Amino acid sequence: MSEKSQERELGMNRKITRRDFLDGTALAVGGAVVSSAVPRLFGLSQLDSAPEKNRTYYPPALTGLRGNHEGSYPVAHSLRDHTFWDSAAKPESTGETYDLIVVGGGISGLAAAYFFRKHGGVDARILILDNHDDFGGHAKRNEFRAGGRLLLSYGGTQSIDTPSQYSKVAKGLITELGIDTQRFYKAYDQELYEKLGTACFFDKETFGEDRLVTGMGSRSWGEFLKDAPLTEKVRHDIERVYAEKVDYLPGLSREQKRAKLAEISYADYLTKFCKLGPDALPFFQSYTHDEFCVGIDAVSALTCYETGDDYGSFTYPGFDGLDLGDEGKKEEPYIFHFPDGNASVARLLVRSLIPAAIPGDTMDDIVTARADYARLDDAKSAIRIRLNSAVVKVANDGPAKSAKGVTVAYMRGGKLQTVRGKSCTLACYNMMIPYLCPELPEKQKEALHQLVKSPLVYTHVAIRNWSTFQRLGIQHIIAPGSYHTYAALDFPVSLGEYRFPSKPEEPMVLFMLRTPCSPGLPQRDQNRMGRAELMETPFSSFERNIRDQLARMLGAAGFDPAQDIEGITVNRWAHGYAYSPNPLFDPQWRKGEEPWVIGRQPFGRITIANSDAGASAYTDAAIDQAYRAVEEVMASG
Ligand SMILES: Cc1cc2nc3c(=O)[nH]c(=O)nc-3n(C[C@H](O)[C@H](O)[C@H](O)COP(=O)(O)OP(=O)(O)OC[C@H]3O[C@@H](n4cnc5c(N)ncnc54)[C@H](O)[C@@H]3O)c2cc1C
């Protein structure tokens, strides 16, 4: 087939909204290109200096390349490359002063504002600056229009994970925002997908031929593997390790076993201790992608054991005979999910901080409430959120020890502006802080540099209906060798006026996960390479890969990418999960010597929040770190 007709067959010529006119590599800093990127996303004039005030400005409805979207990062990258100040214009003061300036409008930054107002009084003047076109940080909202209806989905932060384990502070905030987690037991339809299982897609590049095999985890492993394009030996190895209850670490105490598992990768555990042949590893390689953004070569066996029961059908085999006790096993179901994920948590925070910006007052009505972006940065409001504003410098006014205020400089609409504050909380990516505050002690900057985030992509595809999945009897697809290594129907949650598409003939959002990594390298290097890859990949390549993969996985069952795809949003998180320590590559730091602890020390009137500061890629960490950072602000008087 010619390339042209192949493109047509995949539907590359189909009209869906594509917002990829600015290729990452084509962007330059300082010129009109950067300042015009955001207005153009909303179809506005390049000269529009306050695009948020325009009626057409509504980021959740944008499709195409989102997440770390075009226009959000060139300023940061030029700071990193030490080129920003070469061509920077003279800063202009806005003349504004605040009690607190928060850098970063993710859950941590929004929570910092919330806690500061709580401690500092309702009149506290707070400015939140964020370099993206929408608030929420990773907790973003995706909207689609498909089949004449609204489909909601999440751009990043997916669910309130294990809320029973949240700290008192995080639980308190969730409750004060009006979230009753018990409600999800009813809102989340735990029966809808009960009869739908998991399939594995074996791709020809990795396994020699394309084949979708259903019944993973529901049929016996022997039955399931009989249909897989794997050699007899590989099938036997996989079946054996799932079936046998052998102590692969005989003669060691529980403590010694845990220590051993912590120092070897899961891949090594499978081959060296469970005695699987190396040819079996590609089947397991991506089991860890969702949680850790790298494969089983770079995740310790202990970590796999401790997170092992989360995945239903794809549990990590090899631990049943070790008698390690059942520490780390989670008991709560994974159902605490708003239709737009934790974007609702961010939206509830914004509603609390700036009531005029989002109508309503319950966890139900937040789901369909439309945010009014024109009200976020309103001079009449004590609390303001200024989007599309990349902070480039944060400095104490005078020596850190005696400073009574801070000055913050940021780029907005191509202009360098400054604001003054009594204090500043940095709730932004921690590894960027050394570029914003070069005056920090060297040891602290070095520690912050180590907090390398993991890149990942949450792709959402609006499809015409989900009858192919119904016919195949599947809800999830694991695709260990494919571009996206996991695909799943959206979470079945109906809340407020939002109704989940519960009938197979209704349009649906399909989730697809990609975590670009380079097996064999240390985690930080894999993360850096993955990030570089993401920044170089235009939307058209993502789209072609998505269409091609869906055709190969589901085409035989009737899915037609040219007809069945109604919209695509690629949430590209080049800076995704917060770094968390990996026993395979990191030393055992003494308490207080961990890089995230050294990194988050207050510096004069500047304090540091973000989930990075807790070395934990979870919403509760973002909240807890916000609380601590605000306590430090309050303590400094
Ligand atoms: C894809 C994905 C899925 C996740 N799923 C879950 C989940 O299901 N459950 C869960 O509990 N956690 C999840 N997490 C982790 C969770 O999202 C985070 O722990 C939490 O939301 C992070 O919030 P934050 O405010 O600390 O950081 P962020 O959300 O990263 O917010 C920081 C903000 O600061 C901005 N910023 C950075 N530098 C500057 C600058 N110089 N100037 C201005 N602004 C700046 C950033 O652009 C960003 O908007 C997920 C993370 C990702 C990436």
Side-chain angles (χ1 to χ4, degrees), residues 231-265:
T231 64
E232 196 56 47
K233 158 98 174 82
V234 170
R235 283 188 220 159
H236 176 75
D237 272 355
I238 298 172
E239 189 181 355
R240 173 178 61 77
V241 75
Y242 266 111
E244 67 188 12
K245 281 200 175 161
V246 169
D247 184 353
Y248 298 114
L249 299 172
L252 300 184
S253 67
R254 275 185 177 173
E255 204 174 306
Q256 289 167 327
K257 283 178 182 172
R258 295 180 83 87
K260 184 82 209 158
L261 292 174
E263 70 192 35
I264 52 172
S265 70

Side-chain angles (χ1 to χ4, degrees), residues 518-559:
S518 305
L521 296 176
Q523 172 152 11
R524 282 189 185 80
D525 292 338
Q526 295 205 35
N527 292 159
R528 288 190 184 104
M529 290 182 71
R531 173 158 36 259
E533 185 214 288
L534 287 189
M535 300 316 284
E536 284 164 7
T537 309
F539 179 70
S540 54
S541 303
F542 281 112
E543 182 180 356
R544 188 169 294 102
N545 278 307
I546 291 160
R547 290 178 179 276
D548 176 63
Q549 187 175 344
L550 289 176
R552 287 166 61 182
M553 296 195 306
L554 302 168
F559 186 86

Side-chain angles (χ1 to χ4, degrees), residues 148-340:
R149 61 160 289 173
L150 171 72
L151 288 176
L152 292 179
S153 195
Y154 49 97
T157 315
Q158 198 172 64
S159 300
I160 302 173
D161 194 344
T162 330
S164 65
Q165 302 298 312
Y166 273 28
S167 67
K168 202 170 152 210
V169 163
K171 269 186 194 154
L173 177 69
I174 293 290
T175 309
E176 284 167 29
L177 291 176
I179 301 174
D180 172 7
T181 52
Q182 290 304 307
R183 292 282 316 283
F184 290 101
Y185 282 93
K186 199 155 171 238
Y188 189 117
D189 186 343
Q190 294 189 62
E191 285 168 12
L192 183 67
Y193 294 150
E194 223 171 24
K195 293 205 177 85
L196 303 183
T198 303
C200 183
F201 177 66
F202 296 89
D203 63 296
K204 66 172 177 295
E205 293 84 348
T206 314
F207 298 99
E209 68 173 277
D210 282 351
R211 203 184 296 175
L212 186 81
V213 183
T214 58
M216 181 174 173
S218 51
R219 291 198 276 162
S220 75
W221 281 99
E223 283 292 311
F224 166 76
L225 291 164
K226 223 167 45 203
D227 295 336
L230 298 169
T231 64
E232 196 56 47
K233 158 98 174 82
V234 170
R235 283 188 220 159
H236 176 75
D237 272 355
I238 298 172
E239 189 181 355
R240 173 178 61 77
V241 75
Y242 266 111
E244 67 188 12
K245 281 200 175 161
V246 169
D247 184 353
Y248 298 114
L249 299 172
L252 300 184
S253 67
R254 275 185 177 173
E255 204 174 306
Q256 289 167 327
K257 283 178 182 172
R258 295 180 83 87
K260 184 82 209 158
L261 292 174
E263 70 192 35
I264 52 172
S265 70
Y266 186 56
D268 279 350
Y269 178 64
L270 288 177
T271 51
K272 296 185 180 149
F273 294 86
C274 309
K275 301 296 177 200
L276 265 67
D279 288 352
L281 293 184
F283 177 73
F284 295 104
Q285 179 61 21
S286 66
Y287 270 38
T288 45
H289 277 205
D290 180 33
E291 194 105 352
F292 306 103
C293 300
V294 282
I296 58 171
D297 57 293
V299 180
S300 80
L302 183 66
T303 307
C304 290
Y305 164 70
E306 285 178 340
T307 47
D309 262 12
D310 278 358
Y311 297 101
S313 52
F314 49 122
T315 50
Y316 298 94
F319 301 116
D320 286 355
L322 294 190
D323 184 30
L324 285 169
D326 60 357
E327 302 90 329
K329 301 276 161 77
K330 294 179 180 174
E331 280 161 15
E332 259 172 320
Y334 193 69
I335 57 164
F336 306 102
H337 178 87
F338 282 95
D340 62 359

